[in-house]
Amino acid sequence: MSASLKKFYVIAWVFGLIFYFLDYVIRSAPAVMIPELVSNFKTTELKLISMVGTYYYTYSTCSLIAGIALDKFGGKRSLFAGCLILGVGCLLFLISSQTAGITGRLLQGAGCAFAFPGCVYLASKGFSSKSLATAIGATQCIGMLGGTAGQFLVGPWVEEGININSFWLWSGIITIITAVLLYFFTPKDDQTDVAEEKPHHSVGYLDTYKVVFKNPQSWLCGIISGLLFAPTTIFAMTWAVAFFEKDKQFLFREATITSAMVAFGWAFGCPLLGFITDKIGRRKPVLIGGALLMILSFLQMIYLPDLYAAKISMFIFGVGSGAAMIPYSVIKETNPDYVKGSATGAINFITFGVTTLLSPIFSRWFGKSLDINSGNLHFEHSVLFWIAGIVLAILISFMLKETGEKAKIQLISA
């Protein structure tokens, strides 16, 4: 690929970052407007949180569609379609009916499924392999800034009485405008760059996924990432505000800020850990180190809460949880280049498949009892649930192959 074309892909990647920023704003915002959404959709709090959680049903499944679309149709049409679907999903939240709410949330999940794979796809076209993990980390940094904005900024707006319909209207309009910009600024893919790596026979729509899913390393990457992602997507971005309010007796504003600090920590942790993995040429030590930092920060919050404020604990947790992005580099490095879109779609599917499975379990064990058994012990047990998952992720990480540059050099020299 020519240097000039790489520059165009980098420009398109920047517009993709706007899409991904909006993805996380829209993903996390409902957590700070639960009472208002309950009133808007005329439902209960538990049913509302279940409605919000339907986002992950379509997000995980449509990640597979996004991977196929990127490999078969390129970034131009795929990113446009995904961003447009997200915009329509936001506008459906303006209708005061549970059917519209569920449909809107499902469309939001479906549209957002194209954001991160699309950004990684564009980054893999525009950046060299030596800086890919850093670029992916920077991508996740922008997403987490969106997650922070979705709680840290939207929360005070809601508290001040701003109509939530205004938020969803402008979210929809801005997202649709972004879709149009993506269509015009993303270059058409030149398939000759990967032609040499493709099999000589034609590759079907599902053949790329056969390659990815037959590789055991792909499954390990997805499970590890899912176990590290779940505490942020389920706990921090959905339940944390309610848990801090009811279990820890925080005021709404304090609970919102504390919860948002996880996403803020991600904004630092993702590019930082990505840079470190590129710098030292190894993936696994940084992955395991980040997971250990997550555990230590949670343990401090429940057993040594007076050491420093919960918002600092959550920020440190967010920094460590940036390790969840490292398997996204590994899965691309353990699969052929011509399935790079499907590899990202596959890991998103497995990652958020884990989230989809864990969400109802956490809701049943801890969410339903929040109003009945609220208190420090209830909070402690809920946090230990996530620590158990992180420990499992560390154990699985030992089965992961090292794919960093130093490992490749050692393999060649051997």
Side-chain angles (χ1 to χ4, degrees):
M1 185 185 297
S2 66
S4 60
L5 186 57
K6 280 182 174 288
K7 290 181 181 178
F8 282 113
Y9 274 111
V10 173
I11 294 171
W13 172 72
V14 172
F15 282 98
L17 295 181
I18 299 174
F19 178 17
Y20 195 44
F21 180 87
L22 293 169
D23 166 356
Y24 264 94
V25 170
I26 293 159
R27 183 187 305 194
S28 62
V32 298
M33 56 178 72
I34 288 175
E36 290 76 14
L37 290 173
V38 167
S39 176
N40 183 61
F41 294 122
K42 301 176 178 63
T43 184
T44 65
E45 182 174 311
L46 193 60
K47 287 183 179 179
L48 188 279
I49 290 178
S50 296
M51 179 192 297
V52 170
T54 60
Y55 172 100
Y56 296 107
Y57 298 159
T58 47
Y59 187 93
S60 59
T61 53
C62 287
S63 293
L64 295 175
I65 298 173
I68 292 174
L70 287 165
D71 284 332
K72 293 298 178 181
F73 306 113
K76 189 178 186 72
R77 285 181 286 180
S78 301
L79 284 164
F80 168 74
C83 200
L84 182 64
I85 291 169
L86 173 59
V88 173
C90 290
L91 295 179
L92 282 175
F93 259 44
L94 296 171
I95 303 173
S96 298
S97 81
Q98 292 185 40
T99 300
I102 293 172
T103 304
R105 197 59 175 167
L106 289 170
L107 287 178
Q108 289 168 24
C112 286
F114 286 78
F116 186 73
C119 286
V120 172
Y121 181 86
L122 295 174
S124 66
K125 295 272 190 176
F127 294 92
S128 67
S129 60
K130 291 183 179 179
S131 57
L132 181 59
T134 303
I136 292 176
T139 299
Q140 195 62 40
C141 169
I142 297 299
M144 287 300 109
L145 287 175
T148 302
Q151 294 184 317
F152 192 76
L153 297 180
V154 177
W157 291 347
V158 172
E159 191 179 26
E160 290 170 7
I162 294 177
N163 194 322
I164 62 170
N165 284 343
S166 298
F167 169 81
W168 292 110
L169 174 63
W170 283 107
S171 295
I173 292 172
I174 293 171
T175 304
I176 291 172
I177 291 173
T178 303
V180 175
L181 292 173
L182 273 167
Y183 185 80
F184 282 106
F185 283 95
T186 304
K188 290 184 178 180
D189 291 297
D190 184 3
Q191 295 300 321
T192 58
D193 291 325
V194 295
E196 293 181 3
E197 296 190 29
K198 287 188 176 183
H200 294 297
H201 62 276
S202 63
V203 180
Y205 283 97
L206 297 178
D207 287 347
T208 54
Y209 279 119
K210 289 180 182 178
V211 174
V212 177
F213 283 121
K214 281 184 178 179
N215 184 352
Q217 291 291 305
S218 299
W219 288 97
L220 294 177
C221 287
I223 294 170
I224 293 166
S225 185
L227 291 170
L228 297 181
F229 251 117
T232 62
T233 53
I234 301 173
F235 183 65
M237 293 186 180
T238 306
W239 284 101
V241 174
F243 270 73
F244 280 118
E245 276 191 295
K246 296 176 182 178
D247 279 350
K248 306 296 285 184
Q249 300 299 304
F250 284 14
L251 297 175
F252 175 77
R253 182 181 289 270
E254 186 182 4
T256 300
I257 293 173
T258 303
S259 174
M261 292 304 287
V262 172
F264 194 51
W266 263 75
F268 286 89
C270 288
L272 174 64
L273 297 184
F275 172 77
I276 292 172
T277 61
D278 284 335
K279 193 70 175 176
I280 69 173
R282 295 192 180 278
R283 309 297 192 209
K284 289 174 65 173
V286 184
L287 171 62
I288 294 171
L292 288 173
L293 184 61
M294 293 170 71
I295 293 173
L296 291 174
S297 62
F298 262 178
L299 288 174
Q300 176 274 320
M301 187 168 61
I302 59 177
Y303 293 122
L304 295 171
D306 296 329
L307 190 61
Y308 41 78
K311 63 183 70 175
I312 297 176
S313 306
M314 295 293 274
F315 174 79
I316 295 172
F317 178 86
V319 172
S321 63
M325 297 312 303
I326 295 174
Y328 279 77
S329 296
V330 176
I331 195 172
K332 293 176 65 60
E333 293 162 340
T334 56
N335 284 286
D337 193 51
Y338 70 89
V339 297
K340 61 179 63 174
S342 293
T344 308
I347 190 172
N348 251 3
F349 170 74
I350 302 169
T351 295
F352 289 96
V354 172
T355 298
T356 303
L357 291 173
L358 290 177
S359 182
I361 296 173
F362 183 79
S363 298
R364 181 180 295 273
W365 287 2
F366 304 103
K368 286 186 176 180
S369 58
L370 186 57
D371 289 319
I372 303 170
N373 300 316
S374 59
N376 285 327
L377 189 61
H378 182 266
F379 187 82
E380 177 185 326
H381 289 166
S382 66
V383 171
L384 288 174
F385 174 86
W386 298 118
I387 289 176
I390 299 168
V391 170
L392 180 58
I394 292 174
L395 294 175
I396 298 173
S397 296
F398 289 107
M399 294 185 283
L400 204 61
K401 290 181 180 178
E402 178 58 71
T403 61
E405 286 294 319
K406 284 191 176 179
K408 292 178 183 177
I409 293 172
Q410 288 177 354
L411 186 62
I412 293 171
S413 61

